[in-house]
Amino acid sequence: MPVRIIGMIGVTPPTGDASLHVIEGGISPAYLTQFARAHDAAGFDMALVGYSSSSAEGFLVALYAATQTQRLSYLVAHRPGFVAPTLLARKIATFDHLTGGRLAVHIITGKSDDEQHGDGDFSPKDERYRRAAEYLQLMKLAWSNDRPFDFSGEFYRVEGAHSDVRPLQKPHPLLFFGGASPGALEMGARLCDVYAIYAEPLASTRERIVQFRAQAAAFGRVPGFNVSVRPIIAASEDAAWDKANGILAAMGGKKGWSRQEQAAGPVDNAGKRLMRFALERDVHDERLWMPIARATGALGNTSCLVGTPEQVAEAILKYYRLGVDSFLIRGFDPLNDAIEFGRELIPRIKAGAAEIDSAKAAE
């Protein structure tokens, strides 16, 4: 499968020189249109629409953006538990048809207990993973059953459930998931298609891929992998490192994630993994740069690749050689970086991945 490049769109212009998160704030339709069209023109395959307990509703944001773009697909973050799974199954199928198959869904069970409370969910984390697994199971039943069906589980019960609309993509749009806890891994191995992880050193990434492939194989499944990373590029390597240090110096303002502004450290298992590598050293594998992860408490995607476009593309392709087939790349100057990545980075990544695939085919 060709390499997939994913960006991330926000709904309002950034308020600082270095934006950590773009999932919150008021909504500007004009900015959203500009941001989505920039990704479309830059050659991104998808754009992530994030989720928080205060942000604009992701499916509506993505549907509006889809009407303003030609080919860009949308990876919509969704938290099971607030919408009935049978309703979400119809919602996804409807969106899929209205956009001509330009949808994938990122399943997240919650960033922290505090943030879940903002939407009225006081379930403990291990329970949320069991609920999410049952939720996905019920959605898939709605997509695959020709006749009304019944279902009774720990969290959901339906009688005579049926959907008149099925996804355009078969058997359904890609289901991404993230997380490093046993509950997340079991749910993803059994029910999801793509395991999304933050950029870690190559050795640990290789180990995670091997382990999760084996876990998914127990369910007869072959997963894909996505790595999220922040490229920091410039015309020379020295200029790129200067740029990186300038971004770090500008990280004293708001994080763009209201319920985590006061967080002193990681709020989930994935962040704890990232922080561990950030505390070990500043740079792994020559250009995987971790000080922003350390300075911000590893709140989300904060590991960076620093260098020239050629150097960063080659660093990304090292993950591709490990079996990572999609990459979520975004910068700290969200709109301008998306444009620059389209000009300097994405063509190099796609050309390099095609060369790797050709060489493998020739073997």
Side-chain angles (χ1 to χ4, degrees), residues 109-130:
T109 60
K111 194 68 179 176
S112 68
D113 289 342
D114 177 62
E115 208 206 350
Q116 292 294 114
H117 296 170
D119 269 334
D121 183 14
F122 292 84
S123 305
K125 194 167 187 177
D126 59 343
E127 182 177 300
R128 294 202 300 267
Y129 280 120
R130 297 199 315 275

Side-chain angles (χ1 to χ4, degrees), residues 209-246:
I209 289 173
V210 169
Q211 290 175 347
F212 188 71
R213 277 179 174 162
Q215 193 168 356
F219 298 100
R221 312 187 75 247
V222 180
F225 295 89
N226 178 86
V227 160
S228 298
V229 69
R230 305 273 193 140
I232 300 175
I233 58 175
S236 70
E237 185 170 9
D238 286 346
W241 287 111
D242 288 344
K243 183 177 178 180
N245 285 308

